[in-house]
Amino acid sequence: MTRRALVLGGGGLTGIAWEWGVLTGLAEAGVDLGDADLVIGTSAGSVVGAQVANGLAPRERYEAQLLPPDGELAAALGRGMMFRFALTMVGSRAPQRVRQRIGRIALSADTGVTEADRVGVIESRLPVREWPADTALHVTAVDTETGAFRIFDATSGVPLVRAVAASCAVPGVWPPVTIDGRRYMDGGMRSAANADLASGYERIVVLAPIPRGIGPMPGTFTQVEALRRESEVALLTPDPDAVAAFGKNPLDPIRRAAAARAGMIQSSALVEQVRKVWE
């Protein structure tokens, strides 16, 4: 039996919206990625993945992206924070050591938002808040203290909302999320999509709003190249119009509707590529 995996990468609010646009356009063209055996969600992709794996209709979730972004908190990575991130690349380039240094930023940053409030925002994005029963869902995060990579799933004993909130905890922007006494940050600190987790699946589709790696973080292109040695893989990344729709700040809720529409428009050019891999 052929096993299929859907990988949904990070990319902020615009990444969520673009992914829903693409998924909706594909589904309405007859290519429904919701029947994946495994869904892997990182950061923004964990929000989308939690809903895809629970069987929510893409069109409904797409239309939600077009509504005014009430309840969303605007944020941005300022120059000062970007400089602090750059400093984490100084010294040992071992990936886990770099993640430890980023974790220290996450723990010390004054984000102006409480952990409880941030978890509440994530909860508001999830119409279904339980782990899916029929589809394997993997949600990624990183331990702020050790830099260790963590995969949450239905067997982890962790509420889905907290797992997704941890995966979306951009260091320096949002507070880390506490799970079993540990504090976790964005799973994109290991890789923007963590596509390598789909290894072993025969057919794989990867949606990567931010495909390139930073420093020692492996980029999605590199991971997909490795997957293609054994699997059929379609890698979907934003086209120039979608990149323009995202704007300069992927965390700006005002850009959400434009990003969703861009994903929907782009999907028509992706249908045959995805169909060939998926079916």
Side-chain angles (χ1 to χ4, degrees):
M1 179 177 178
T2 300
R3 298 190 306 161
R4 298 180 293 184
L6 172 62
V7 179
L8 299 163
L13 292 174
T14 56
I16 292 174
W18 177 79
E19 289 180 353
W20 277 125
V22 171
L23 290 170
T24 302
L26 291 174
E28 294 182 354
V31 185
D32 183 5
L33 301 182
D35 56 4
D37 299 292
L38 169 67
V39 177
I40 298 166
T42 292
S43 196
S46 71
V47 176
V48 178
Q51 298 171 72
V52 170
N54 270 303
L56 272 67
R59 166 59 70 169
E60 178 182 319
R61 304 316 307 151
Y62 167 75
E63 291 180 351
Q65 302 304 305
L66 306 181
L67 299 174
D70 299 333
E72 289 289 355
L73 303 174
L77 275 171
R79 290 185 178 181
M81 191 57 65
M82 292 298 290
F83 178 71
R84 292 185 66 188
F85 273 117
L87 290 178
T88 66
M89 306 299 169
V90 177
S92 171
R93 303 270 288 182
Q96 187 164 341
R97 290 292 298 275
V98 173
R99 294 196 296 267
Q100 278 185 298
R101 293 195 285 265
I102 295 174
R104 287 196 286 271
I105 292 175
L107 291 170
S108 64
D110 180 6
T111 64
V113 179
T114 68
E115 179 181 336
D117 285 345
R118 177 59 181 165
V119 172
V121 169
I122 298 300
E123 185 173 29
S124 72
R125 294 179 187 167
L126 300 178
V128 178
R129 294 155 188 169
E130 301 296 330
W131 289 94
D134 299 323
T135 301
L137 172 64
H138 291 177
V139 174
T140 67
V142 171
D143 188 307
T144 54
E145 182 180 352
T146 67
F149 184 58
R150 178 80 186 270
I151 300 170
F152 297 108
D153 63 16
T155 68
S156 300
V158 175
L160 177 61
V161 171
R162 294 200 77 83
V164 172
S167 191
C168 293
V170 182
V173 176
W174 307 122
V177 173
T178 306
I179 296 176
D180 296 333
R182 310 294 304 178
R183 304 199 72 195
Y184 291 91
M185 63 182 176
D186 198 308
M189 296 303 100
R190 175 184 181 267
S191 167
N194 292 299
D196 59 318
L197 301 183
S199 177
Y201 285 73
E202 290 83 7
R203 297 183 178 272
I204 304 165
V205 174
V206 181
L207 275 68
I210 302 176
R212 300 193 180 280
I214 301 174
M217 302 175 193
T220 306
F221 294 115
T222 301
Q223 293 181 333
V224 165
E225 183 179 351
L227 288 172
R228 282 179 172 153
R229 295 170 190 158
E230 298 181 350
S231 308
E232 295 289 330
V233 186
L235 171 59
L236 314 183
T237 62
D239 64 13
D241 288 339
V243 172
F246 291 176
K248 295 182 178 180
N249 178 15
L251 302 177
D252 184 355
I254 298 302
R255 310 295 301 185
R256 189 173 74 178
R261 293 189 182 99
M264 173 68 86
I265 293 169
Q266 185 183 351
S267 67
S268 62
L270 302 172
V271 173
E272 293 311 313
Q273 174 192 358
V274 177
R275 191 191 309 276
K276 181 179 178 181
V277 167
W278 202 246
E279 298 180 356

